[in-house]
Amino acid sequence: MKKVSIIVSCFCNSRTAVHMSMLCLDHIRKFTDPPYQLIVVDPIPKEPIRDDYKTLKLDNPPESIWLKLKKDPGYTKGMNMGSKKANGDVLVFIQNDVFVHEGWMPNMLWYIENGFDVVYPDQVPRDRQYILDSYQRHLNHPEAMKGGRDAGLMMIRKSVFDKIGGWNEKLGLLCDADIYKRLDKIHARWTDTNKVFISHIMAATNRTLLDKDPKEYDKRMRKDAKILNG
């Protein structure tokens, strides 16, 4: 099995966001079988991430790296900083409003080990029958390779990530559209899969900015769109 480095970029601008980050990390620890490397990019928040009961196991280098920063570098730069600490040949980028579940890692790795460069889990709400049907399919069934592509959780070969130059640090809110574009440009082979379901509180981190300062949110969206459109 390939060595995996999981990179979590935390967004801790409120007590809710801090607790969401801790729950995200808790799910990774609970539902991921070792060996793997966990890298947490943690900007100095209003309330720090806590590991009072040592369940998150964040202080155990090199298998756990806790990057405590003096200021928020932004999502894309934070992910790139985490990737530079990675010792795995497969990277997993997880946003802090994403919660993994049992069996997610081996099923996603199956696609990497069978010719894909990038794989995304299904992170769209589904009805019960859809989920039950997914349990019956083999990983290579055409219907299993469908889902909802989103940068909330992305598994990618490190060689491919390096080839596209990592995340575009000029972008913030629309960084996922940019990375899809660059992956397609080098003809990277990617797939969704509904053999892995995750819980993603869609736009939870972006939404806090929208609620707090709609004008700033709109400004950043326009800036990203201008960069994307050349």
Side-chain angles (χ1 to χ4, degrees):
M1 182 176 288
K2 294 182 179 297
K3 179 65 181 290
V4 176
S5 293
I6 301 171
I7 302 163
V8 182
S9 181
C10 296
F11 183 74
C12 297
N13 67 333
S14 67
R15 178 175 292 186
T16 298
V18 172
H19 284 218
M20 190 160 54
S21 295
M22 290 190 290
L23 184 59
C24 168
L25 295 170
D26 181 70
H27 273 237
I28 292 171
R29 287 306 195 196
K30 185 175 182 180
F31 297 116
T32 312
D33 293 328
Y36 64 91
Q37 179 189 38
L38 178 62
I39 301 169
V40 180
V41 184
D42 182 17
I44 294 290
K46 294 180 180 178
E47 285 197 34
I49 290 174
R50 303 192 312 276
D51 190 17
D52 299 344
Y53 301 101
K54 306 302 178 185
T55 58
L56 303 182
K57 304 172 186 174
L58 299 181
D59 286 317
N60 183 31
E63 297 309 305
S64 298
I65 298 176
W66 191 358
L67 295 178
K68 300 178 184 180
L69 308 178
K70 293 183 178 180
K71 63 179 181 178
D72 187 358
Y75 174 72
T76 47
K77 187 173 182 179
M79 287 297 202
N80 283 341
M81 290 172 67
S83 72
K84 289 179 173 62
K85 300 289 184 179
N87 60 22
D89 48 7
V90 175
L91 306 179
V92 175
F93 294 101
I94 302 183
Q95 296 174 359
N96 67 319
D97 61 348
V98 165
F99 312 112
V100 298
H101 303 294
E102 188 174 5
W104 74 280
M105 176 76 85
N107 279 353
M108 290 190 69
L109 269 177
W110 185 92
Y111 292 98
I112 297 293
E113 292 171 346
N114 283 274
F116 287 94
D117 300 306
V118 190
V119 57
Y120 304 88
D122 199 335
Q123 44 205 300
V124 177
R126 303 295 185 182
D127 62 44
R128 180 177 177 80
Q129 191 58 53
Y130 183 97
I131 294 172
L132 289 174
D133 290 344
S134 76
Y135 292 161
Q136 307 304 315
R137 303 183 188 113
H138 188 272
L139 288 153
N140 64 0
H141 191 285
E143 289 299 312
M145 290 185 279
K146 294 181 179 179
R149 184 163 93 160
D150 186 273
L153 193 158
M154 178 179 73
M155 178 180 281
I156 183 171
R157 295 179 189 272
K158 189 175 188 302
S159 59
V160 172
F161 181 75
D162 291 340
K163 186 175 182 179
I164 64 172
W167 295 90
N168 186 340
E169 295 180 7
K170 295 180 181 179
L171 295 171
L173 302 177
L174 297 179
C175 60
D176 52 344
D178 171 75
I179 208 165
Y180 302 155
K181 184 178 179 180
R182 287 186 288 124
L183 285 169
D184 290 342
K185 190 173 182 178
I186 67 167
H187 306 291
R189 192 176 180 213
W190 66 270
T191 186
D192 298 318
T193 179
N194 54 51
K195 292 299 292 183
V196 177
F197 291 99
I198 63 170
S199 299
H200 185 186
I201 307 176
M202 296 285 189
T205 49
N206 288 343
R207 191 77 196 180
T208 58
L209 176 60
L210 177 60
D211 292 341
K212 182 179 179 181
D213 192 342
K215 290 184 179 180
E216 179 62 22
Y217 180 87
D218 184 64
K219 179 182 176 181
R220 294 187 189 184
M221 286 287 284
R222 289 176 183 273
K223 178 184 175 183
D224 282 4
K226 186 176 181 179
I227 293 171
L228 281 174
N229 294 328

